[in-house]
């Protein structure tokens, strides 16, 4: 399973890259707005930090506009993935951009029907939003299950399932149990993955008992 980090906070990304856990990054217009910085500068900086796919979302809603913005953004770095919304215009732009060799992440996916369309349009990644489905009383993880099952029937579908709108470690675990290819994780949730109170207590107890021995491991 690949871990992408879902943020446009360069300093957060820089520190998480050191864990060796970062296989890519996803941004969206909201995350870019939260960064308070110029879009192209943020994407360029992230692409320098992370060799894997870095998603940059177009803001045009018509095919021509998406193509123009996508081609412009793709020039920032070879590892830029262009994010387009799951609309007819977005999927037409997806087909053309992937045909030009550009990675495309189709975002704002909320149904299996939409995911089938994205795969038929040649999307590199499909981003079903788990948390936002949960927010409206549906079970977002069921959508991941549906998409993985459907895609598994069609080897010619090259689209990777990129579970998005992740809100908790449980989302990560369940997406892994289902077999999603990628999860894109907010930094807060990624940090939570490490934590368990029994690990903290166990380490503290080990060190307290070791201290009683009066010994040191001499590394020289
Ligand atoms: O990558 C999509 C993600 O940023 C959306 O998350 O929590 O705004 O639904 P959220």
């Amino acid at each position: 399973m690949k871990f992408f980090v879902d943020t446009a906070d360069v300093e957060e990304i820089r520190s998480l890259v050191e864990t060796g856990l970062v296989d890519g990054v996803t941004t969206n217009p909201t995350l870019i707005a939260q960064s308070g910085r110029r879009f192209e500068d943020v994407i360029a900086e992230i692409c320098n930090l992370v060799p894997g796919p870095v998603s940059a979302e177009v803001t045009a809603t018509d095919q021509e506009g998406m193509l123009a913005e996508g081609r412009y953004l793709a020039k920032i770095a070879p590892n830029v993935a262009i994010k387009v919304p799951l609309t007819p215009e977005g999927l037409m732009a997806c087909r053309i951009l992937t045909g030009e060799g550009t990675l495309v992440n189709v975002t704002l996916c909320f149904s299996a029907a939409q995911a089938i369309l994205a795969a038929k349009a040649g999307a590199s990644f499909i981003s079903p939003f788990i948390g936002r489905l949960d927010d409206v009383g549906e079970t977002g993880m069921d959508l991941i299950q549906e998409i993985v099952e459907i895609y598994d029937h069609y080897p010619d579908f090259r689209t990777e399932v990129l579970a998005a709108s992740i809100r908790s470690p449980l989302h990560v675990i369940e997406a892994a149990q289902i077999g999603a290819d990628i999860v894109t994780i907010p930094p807060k949730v990624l940090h939570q993955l490490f934590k368990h109170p029994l690990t903290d207590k166990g380490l503290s107890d080990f060190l307290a008992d070791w201290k009683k021995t009066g010994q040191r491991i001499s590394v020289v």
Side-chain angles (χ1 to χ4, degrees):
M1 172 180 256
K2 285 178 263 186
F3 279 10
F4 288 8
V5 177
D6 193 36
T7 185
D9 182 327
V10 171
E11 290 318 310
E12 269 285 7
I13 293 168
R14 196 188 309 278
S15 77
L16 285 170
V17 163
E18 289 171 20
T19 67
L21 290 171
V22 179
D23 299 307
V25 174
T26 53
T27 72
N28 61 42
T30 300
L31 295 173
I32 294 296
Q34 287 168 355
S35 77
R37 295 184 55 197
R38 182 169 174 271
F39 185 18
E40 294 92 323
D41 294 343
V42 173
I43 297 300
E45 208 168 326
I46 295 172
C47 287
N48 275 329
L49 283 172
V50 177
V54 175
S55 290
E57 189 161 342
V58 298
T59 56
T61 54
D62 63 301
Q63 179 189 349
E64 286 316 307
M66 289 182 194
L67 287 173
E69 289 181 5
R71 287 164 178 154
Y72 168 75
L73 293 170
K75 288 189 181 124
I76 293 173
N79 53 324
V80 166
I82 300 304
K83 246 189 186 182
V84 296
L86 211 152
T87 62
E89 300 281 326
L91 293 190
M92 289 189 283
C94 170
R95 190 181 301 277
I96 294 168
L97 289 171
T98 48
E100 293 171 354
T102 299
L103 290 174
V104 177
N105 179 358
V106 175
T107 190
L108 290 168
C109 172
F110 294 96
S111 76
Q114 287 180 322
I116 294 169
L117 295 176
K120 289 181 67 67
S124 313
F125 312 104
I126 182 69
S127 290
F129 279 32
I130 300 166
R132 295 194 188 185
L133 285 167
D134 292 353
D135 291 345
V136 295
E138 297 186 30
T139 306
M141 204 52 71
D142 288 350
L143 177 57
I144 302 296
Q145 180 74 46
E146 281 182 282
I147 296 170
V148 168
E149 281 175 5
I150 290 167
Y151 281 16
D152 281 353
H153 293 307
Y154 302 98
D156 60 318
F157 280 2
R158 324 291 296 173
T159 306
E160 290 189 277
V161 179
L162 197 172
S165 189
I166 297 287
R167 303 282 175 77
S168 70
L170 200 53
H171 276 166
V172 176
I173 295 164
E174 291 175 340
Q177 287 170 326
I178 291 169
D181 300 288
I182 307 161
V183 281
T184 191
I185 313 173
K188 173 177 175 286
V189 176
L190 209 158
H191 289 298
Q192 285 174 307
L193 295 177
F194 287 95
K195 300 303 287 177
H196 194 291
L198 289 180
T199 303
D200 296 341
K201 178 169 185 341
L203 181 57
S204 161
D205 291 351
F206 282 161
L207 296 178
D209 291 342
W210 173 251
K211 191 174 180 182
K212 290 172 194 161
T213 72
Q215 299 180 56
R216 290 174 60 83
I217 300 172
S218 54
V219 294
V220 290

